[in-house]
Each structure stands twice: as C-alpha cells, then as structure tokens.
Amino acid sequence: MRYLLAAMMLCGFASPAHADDITIALQGVKKDTGTIVLCLWANGDRFPDCESGKPLQRIVVPANASSARFDNVATGTYAVSAFHDANNNGRLDSNFIGLPLESVGMSNNPKLNGPPRFKPARFKVAGQTKIRIRFQSL
C-alpha cells in the first residue's frame, strides 16, 4: 500500500508538458481556388520547405479560410511558413530560377527579398498564441 501511495504521488508530479494552440489569421490570398499549406518549424533546418523539410506539423486548409490552427504546441520558439497551393497539386510551384509562382507567407510577415530565413519569422509560444500571416507574391 505504501508503494502504491508513493507511485500515485510521483505521477502527480510527473504531469505532461503543457501544450497550447497557435491560431493564424490568414490575409492576402487572392483566389479562393486550391488550398493553403502551413508548416510549423522549431528550427531553421530546411525552413521553409514544407515538401522536403521536416516541419513539426503540417496542416492544409481551404484557400478561402480566414484562419488556421496548430494544436498541442509546447512552450518554445517557432516559425510558420505557408503557401497558397492554387492549383491543388500539393506543392509550391516555382519558375526556372526557383522563384515561387504561388503566393507565400511567413510568421512576422518579413518582406521577402531573397530566400526566406527562420530567424526573422521566429516567435515565442507561451500560452494560447495568435499570429497573422499576410501572403505575398514574388
């Protein structure tokens, strides 16, 4: 009985890490066709490439959605990359020099003058978090 009580007390102290949600307001999508693909990143390894990188989470919402949400995100520093998959082929289309043909966006909405970087898109999650992504065409 004493061991059972000790085990129950330890379980109370070993509760799982607290997780929250990130709600993203989506702005500037020009067409209602296709989908919006959003990826959540904990580091800059292959950021913002949702296709060949390894984001923590990837979600897809209709192109006419006004918001999206990542669920159960632990406290920490993250970035979000997004693109409007207008032709619904599941990937970001680009031209022959690698510039995107579909609109793109990132957390913190940095002006995109070159390859996107993780650091300007970083934000902290410590509780329920709301951010806004404004889509840009390059």
Side-chain angles (χ1 to χ4, degrees):
M1 182 71 166
R2 195 172 11 178
Y3 294 110
L4 180 61
L5 183 59
M8 289 177 12
M9 287 177 57
L10 284 175
C11 288
F13 292 114
S15 62
H18 184 68
D20 291 302
D21 301 332
I22 302 170
T23 302
I24 304 113
L26 305 170
Q27 299 177 336
V29 177
K30 305 259 190 265
K31 299 177 185 174
D32 284 347
T33 59
T35 60
I36 297 171
V37 178
L38 300 103
C39 290
L40 179 67
W41 303 85
N43 61 53
D45 187 31
R46 305 211 40 116
F47 175 85
D49 192 346
C50 286
E51 297 163 44
S52 64
K54 292 193 174 114
L56 293 176
Q57 291 186 41
R58 175 184 168 120
I59 55 175
V60 178
V61 298
N64 63 355
S66 60
S67 66
R69 187 176 74 220
F70 289 106
D71 296 319
N72 301 316
V73 179
T75 298
T77 301
Y78 301 93
V80 174
S81 63
F83 67 93
H84 175 205
D85 184 12
N87 59 4
N88 214 17
N89 67 353
R91 61 188 175 97
L92 176 62
D93 296 322
S94 59
N95 66 15
F96 68 98
I97 60 172
L99 292 175
L101 296 172
E102 298 171 304
S103 59
V104 296
M106 293 189 316
S107 44
N108 294 333
N109 301 302
K111 184 155 176 58
L112 301 176
N113 293 329
R117 301 282 184 237
F118 179 78
K119 191 173 181 179
R122 291 184 308 189
F123 63 95
K124 294 208 181 286
V125 172
Q128 299 297 323
T129 303
K130 293 182 180 185
I131 65 170
R132 181 183 62 210
I133 290 183
R134 193 172 44 253
F135 285 82
Q136 306 173 44
S137 297
L138 302 180

Short mmCIF file of all heavy atoms in Angstrom, two decimals, residues 26-36 60-67 83-88 102-103 135:
data_model
loop_
_atom_site.label_atom_id
_atom_site.label_comp_id
_atom_site.label_asym_id
_atom_site.label_seq_id
_atom_site.Cartn_x
_atom_site.Cartn_y
_atom_site.Cartn_z
N LEU A 26 -5.24 34.44 -41.63
CA LEU A 26 -4.72 34.38 -43.00
C LEU A 26 -5.22 35.57 -43.79
O LEU A 26 -6.43 35.79 -43.87
CB LEU A 26 -5.16 33.07 -43.67
CG LEU A 26 -4.80 31.80 -42.90
CD1 LEU A 26 -5.49 30.59 -43.51
CD2 LEU A 26 -3.30 31.61 -42.85
N GLN A 27 -4.28 36.33 -44.38
CA GLN A 27 -4.66 37.55 -45.11
C GLN A 27 -3.95 37.60 -46.47
O GLN A 27 -2.81 37.14 -46.60
CB GLN A 27 -4.26 38.79 -44.32
CG GLN A 27 -4.93 38.90 -42.99
CD GLN A 27 -4.46 40.10 -42.20
OE1 GLN A 27 -3.36 40.61 -42.40
NE2 GLN A 27 -5.29 40.56 -41.28
N GLY A 28 -4.62 38.17 -47.44
CA GLY A 28 -4.00 38.45 -48.74
C GLY A 28 -4.02 37.32 -49.75
O GLY A 28 -3.33 37.40 -50.76
N VAL A 29 -4.81 36.28 -49.50
CA VAL A 29 -4.94 35.22 -50.50
C VAL A 29 -5.87 35.75 -51.59
O VAL A 29 -7.01 36.13 -51.32
CB VAL A 29 -5.49 33.92 -49.88
CG1 VAL A 29 -5.69 32.84 -50.94
CG2 VAL A 29 -4.56 33.42 -48.79
N LYS A 30 -5.38 35.81 -52.82
CA LYS A 30 -6.10 36.50 -53.90
C LYS A 30 -7.22 35.66 -54.53
O LYS A 30 -8.17 36.20 -55.04
CB LYS A 30 -5.11 36.91 -54.99
CG LYS A 30 -3.97 37.75 -54.46
CD LYS A 30 -4.18 39.20 -54.73
CE LYS A 30 -2.95 40.03 -54.43
NZ LYS A 30 -2.92 40.61 -53.13
N LYS A 31 -7.09 34.32 -54.51
CA LYS A 31 -8.09 33.47 -55.14
C LYS A 31 -8.61 32.46 -54.14
O LYS A 31 -7.91 32.06 -53.22
CB LYS A 31 -7.47 32.71 -56.32
CG LYS A 31 -6.94 33.59 -57.42
CD LYS A 31 -6.29 32.75 -58.50
CE LYS A 31 -5.64 33.63 -59.55
NZ LYS A 31 -4.89 32.83 -60.52
N ASP A 32 -9.85 32.02 -54.34
CA ASP A 32 -10.46 31.02 -53.46
C ASP A 32 -10.21 29.59 -53.92
O ASP A 32 -10.72 28.66 -53.33
CB ASP A 32 -11.98 31.25 -53.38
CG ASP A 32 -12.34 32.43 -52.51
OD1 ASP A 32 -11.47 32.93 -51.78
OD2 ASP A 32 -13.50 32.85 -52.55
N THR A 33 -9.44 29.42 -55.00
CA THR A 33 -9.19 28.08 -55.51
C THR A 33 -8.03 27.42 -54.78
O THR A 33 -7.12 28.10 -54.29
CB THR A 33 -8.87 28.12 -57.02
OG1 THR A 33 -7.71 28.93 -57.22
CG2 THR A 33 -10.04 28.69 -57.80
N GLY A 34 -8.06 26.09 -54.71
CA GLY A 34 -6.95 25.36 -54.12
C GLY A 34 -6.99 25.35 -52.61
O GLY A 34 -8.05 25.46 -51.98
N THR A 35 -5.81 25.24 -52.01
CA THR A 35 -5.67 25.15 -50.56
C THR A 35 -4.53 26.03 -50.07
O THR A 35 -3.74 26.54 -50.86
CB THR A 35 -5.38 23.69 -50.14
OG1 THR A 35 -4.16 23.26 -50.76
CG2 THR A 35 -6.52 22.76 -50.49
N ILE A 36 -4.45 26.17 -48.76
CA ILE A 36 -3.32 26.84 -48.11
C ILE A 36 -2.61 25.78 -47.29
O ILE A 36 -3.24 25.06 -46.50
CB ILE A 36 -3.79 28.00 -47.23
CG1 ILE A 36 -4.45 29.07 -48.09
CG2 ILE A 36 -2.61 28.59 -46.45
CD1 ILE A 36 -5.12 30.16 -47.30
N VAL A 60 -3.38 21.67 -43.79
CA VAL A 60 -3.91 22.15 -45.06
C VAL A 60 -5.33 22.62 -44.81
O VAL A 60 -6.13 21.89 -44.20
CB VAL A 60 -3.89 21.03 -46.13
CG1 VAL A 60 -4.48 21.53 -47.44
CG2 VAL A 60 -2.47 20.51 -46.33
N VAL A 61 -5.64 23.84 -45.26
CA VAL A 61 -6.98 24.40 -45.11
C VAL A 61 -7.45 24.91 -46.47
O VAL A 61 -6.63 25.17 -47.36
CB VAL A 61 -7.01 25.55 -44.06
CG1 VAL A 61 -6.63 25.04 -42.68
CG2 VAL A 61 -6.13 26.71 -44.47
N PRO A 62 -8.76 25.06 -46.67
CA PRO A 62 -9.26 25.61 -47.94
C PRO A 62 -8.71 27.02 -48.17
O PRO A 62 -8.45 27.77 -47.23
CB PRO A 62 -10.78 25.65 -47.74
CG PRO A 62 -11.06 24.71 -46.62
CD PRO A 62 -9.85 24.73 -45.75
N ALA A 63 -8.54 27.37 -49.43
CA ALA A 63 -7.99 28.69 -49.78
C ALA A 63 -8.85 29.84 -49.28
O ALA A 63 -8.33 30.95 -49.07
CB ALA A 63 -7.79 28.80 -51.29
N ASN A 64 -10.13 29.62 -49.08
CA ASN A 64 -11.00 30.70 -48.61
C ASN A 64 -11.09 30.78 -47.08
O ASN A 64 -11.86 31.56 -46.54
CB ASN A 64 -12.39 30.58 -49.23
CG ASN A 64 -13.11 29.31 -48.83
OD1 ASN A 64 -12.54 28.45 -48.16
ND2 ASN A 64 -14.36 29.18 -49.25
N ALA A 65 -10.29 29.98 -46.38
CA ALA A 65 -10.29 30.01 -44.90
C ALA A 65 -9.69 31.33 -44.42
O ALA A 65 -8.74 31.84 -45.00
CB ALA A 65 -9.49 28.84 -44.34
N SER A 66 -10.26 31.86 -43.37
CA SER A 66 -9.73 33.10 -42.79
C SER A 66 -8.74 32.83 -41.66
O SER A 66 -8.04 33.73 -41.22
CB SER A 66 -10.86 34.00 -42.29
OG SER A 66 -11.60 33.30 -41.30
N SER A 67 -8.68 31.57 -41.21
CA SER A 67 -7.75 31.23 -40.13
C SER A 67 -7.41 29.74 -40.19
O SER A 67 -8.07 28.96 -40.86
CB SER A 67 -8.33 31.59 -38.76
OG SER A 67 -9.45 30.78 -38.47
N PHE A 83 2.08 28.55 -47.95
CA PHE A 83 1.93 28.90 -49.36
C PHE A 83 0.51 28.57 -49.82
O PHE A 83 -0.15 27.71 -49.25
CB PHE A 83 2.99 28.20 -50.25
CG PHE A 83 2.87 26.71 -50.36
CD1 PHE A 83 2.14 26.12 -51.39
CD2 PHE A 83 3.52 25.88 -49.45
CE1 PHE A 83 2.06 24.74 -51.50
CE2 PHE A 83 3.44 24.50 -49.56
CZ PHE A 83 2.71 23.93 -50.59
N HIS A 84 0.07 29.32 -50.83
CA HIS A 84 -1.25 29.11 -51.40
C HIS A 84 -1.08 28.14 -52.57
O HIS A 84 -0.52 28.49 -53.60
CB HIS A 84 -1.83 30.45 -51.88
CG HIS A 84 -3.14 30.30 -52.59
ND1 HIS A 84 -3.58 31.21 -53.50
CD2 HIS A 84 -4.11 29.35 -52.51
CE1 HIS A 84 -4.76 30.84 -53.98
NE2 HIS A 84 -5.09 29.72 -53.39
N ASP A 85 -1.53 26.93 -52.39
CA ASP A 85 -1.45 25.90 -53.43
C ASP A 85 -2.66 26.09 -54.35
O ASP A 85 -3.64 25.36 -54.26
CB ASP A 85 -1.42 24.52 -52.78
CG ASP A 85 -1.26 23.39 -53.78
OD1 ASP A 85 -0.93 23.67 -54.95
OD2 ASP A 85 -1.46 22.23 -53.38
N ALA A 86 -2.58 27.09 -55.22
CA ALA A 86 -3.72 27.50 -56.03
C ALA A 86 -4.21 26.40 -56.97
O ALA A 86 -5.41 26.28 -57.23
CB ALA A 86 -3.37 28.75 -56.83
N ASN A 87 -3.29 25.57 -57.49
CA ASN A 87 -3.70 24.52 -58.42
C ASN A 87 -3.89 23.17 -57.72
O ASN A 87 -4.11 22.16 -58.38
CB ASN A 87 -2.72 24.39 -59.58
CG ASN A 87 -1.31 24.08 -59.12
OD1 ASN A 87 -1.06 23.88 -57.93
ND2 ASN A 87 -0.39 24.06 -60.07
N ASN A 88 -3.77 23.16 -56.40
CA ASN A 88 -4.07 21.99 -55.57
C ASN A 88 -3.24 20.76 -55.95
O ASN A 88 -3.73 19.64 -55.91
CB ASN A 88 -5.56 21.68 -55.63
CG ASN A 88 -6.07 21.12 -54.33
OD1 ASN A 88 -5.43 21.24 -53.29
ND2 ASN A 88 -7.23 20.50 -54.38
N GLU A 102 3.36 30.77 -56.81
CA GLU A 102 2.18 30.89 -55.96
C GLU A 102 2.54 31.78 -54.77
O GLU A 102 3.71 31.89 -54.41
CB GLU A 102 1.73 29.50 -55.50
CG GLU A 102 1.33 28.63 -56.70
CD GLU A 102 1.08 27.19 -56.34
OE1 GLU A 102 1.97 26.53 -55.79
OE2 GLU A 102 -0.02 26.71 -56.64
N SER A 103 1.55 32.42 -54.17
CA SER A 103 1.84 33.33 -53.07
C SER A 103 2.31 32.58 -51.83
O SER A 103 1.93 31.44 -51.60
CB SER A 103 0.64 34.23 -52.77
OG SER A 103 -0.49 33.47 -52.42
N PHE A 135 -0.04 36.99 -47.12
CA PHE A 135 0.54 36.33 -48.29
C PHE A 135 1.09 37.36 -49.27
O PHE A 135 0.51 38.43 -49.47
CB PHE A 135 -0.49 35.43 -48.96
CG PHE A 135 -0.72 34.17 -48.18
CD1 PHE A 135 -1.58 34.15 -47.10
CD2 PHE A 135 -0.04 33.01 -48.51
CE1 PHE A 135 -1.77 32.99 -46.36
CE2 PHE A 135 -0.22 31.85 -47.77
CZ PHE A 135 -1.09 31.84 -46.70
#
